[in-house]
Amino acid sequence: MVIAIRDVSKIYPNGTVALDGISIDIHKGEFVFFVGSSGAGKSTLVKLLLKEENPTSGSISIDGVTINTLKRRQIPYFRRKLGVVFQDFRLLPDKTVAENVAFAMHIVEASKREITRQVPRVLSIVGLGDKADVFPRQLSGGEQQRVSLARAIVNNPALLIADEPTGNLDPDTAWEIMKILKEINQRGTTVIMATHARDIVNYMRQRVVTLNGGKVIRDLERGGYGLED
């Protein structure tokens, strides 16, 4: 098991109940969509998994580590095990495509030899083998998101968390990103994706966890976005 979420609640200081006693198990190699309307709890759950927020109650274990109890100094080391892709790309504008991807390897103190071998390989996986020396501003939105994907997988994480990765992309480009995510999953990486993209969820027919009002109201192994599925 990669993730064990047990009776997790999150209540903000203003009294807002973002999550209300949810329990979810996610196993190695799964592709899981978190879906639900705005305010359903998806973003809060992602923040908890990334240790950007702490649960009010309950526990979260990732790859055998109970992250609730991690000390501040341990958090950067924990995050090294994860690959993360955001809606807004979060690339370093003054670094080339290759340097953006290599940056993730420098953080984990990979050797120069490893970086030289691994960066071209992952750029090839995401279809950017010929863009290594260009800067983010010279790329389309879809290409920038591919760089984000390459950066997220360059250290071979067991878990990839994608928070609305297609939210800023046109439909055709969004499908290209989903194809890459599916290939990454088929290579053995567990993928969690929070999304509003109904068409993508319905087509992919992967596991779908639906949140509403901070509760899990549906969890289907091969589901779709709509409650009627």
Side-chain angles (χ1 to χ4, degrees):
M1 186 185 305
V2 176
I3 299 175
I5 300 169
R6 293 285 183 272
D7 300 316
V8 165
S9 294
K10 177 64 179 179
I11 304 172
Y12 286 100
N14 66 0
T16 299
V17 179
L19 294 172
D20 186 6
I22 69 168
S23 294
I24 306 169
D25 289 338
I26 296 174
H27 297 270
K28 179 175 173 58
E30 281 197 279
F31 194 124
V32 183
F33 288 109
F34 290 161
V35 305
S37 59
S38 295
K42 302 188 307 297
S43 294
T44 298
L45 184 51
V46 167
K47 288 177 181 178
L48 293 180
L49 293 175
L50 296 177
K51 189 61 176 176
E52 292 180 355
E53 300 268 7
N54 291 313
T56 305
S57 61
S59 67
I60 300 175
S61 174
I62 298 180
D63 199 22
V65 177
T66 302
I67 65 173
N68 310 50
T69 57
L70 288 178
K71 294 179 171 58
R72 183 180 296 273
R73 69 176 183 274
Q74 296 173 306
I75 294 173
Y77 296 96
F78 158 71
R79 288 179 180 159
R80 290 179 182 182
K81 300 179 180 180
L82 309 178
V84 187
V85 181
F86 298 99
Q87 181 175 344
D88 56 358
F89 316 140
R90 302 192 186 184
L91 301 177
L92 301 169
D94 59 339
K95 292 185 180 295
T96 66
V97 166
E99 288 169 343
N100 264 277
V101 177
F103 184 74
M105 297 192 72
H106 286 300
I107 289 175
V108 301
E109 300 176 352
S111 69
K112 185 175 181 180
R113 181 179 179 182
E114 288 176 298
I115 293 171
T116 302
R117 181 181 71 248
Q118 183 74 339
V119 170
R121 188 181 77 82
V122 296
L123 287 178
S124 178
I125 289 173
V126 301
L128 291 176
D130 60 343
K131 301 283 187 178
D133 296 325
V134 305
F135 290 88
R137 64 180 177 274
Q138 299 171 284
L139 300 175
S140 68
E143 288 172 330
Q144 290 184 58
Q145 192 60 296
R146 290 190 197 187
V147 179
S148 296
L149 274 171
R151 183 181 58 192
I153 65 172
V154 72
N155 290 320
N156 296 311
L159 174 63
L160 175 66
I161 299 174
D163 189 9
E164 296 284 0
T166 62
N168 288 334
L169 306 176
D170 65 81
D172 287 346
T173 305
W175 283 112
E176 291 174 5
I177 296 300
M178 292 310 303
K179 181 180 178 182
I180 295 170
L181 283 172
K182 186 176 180 181
E183 290 173 356
I184 292 168
N185 175 245
Q186 290 173 339
R187 292 170 182 263
T189 299
T190 305
V191 176
I192 295 174
M193 176 172 163
T195 185
H196 286 102
R198 182 180 298 268
D199 290 349
I200 286 172
V201 175
N202 288 342
Y203 178 81
M204 295 284 287
R205 288 290 165 181
Q206 299 291 333
R207 182 178 172 191
V208 180
V209 176
T210 305
L211 296 164
N212 186 42
K215 293 179 178 289
V216 174
I217 62 170
R218 191 183 63 154
D219 186 347
L220 294 180
E221 184 177 350
R222 295 287 175 182
Y225 196 100
L227 291 174
E228 69 279 1
D229 292 297

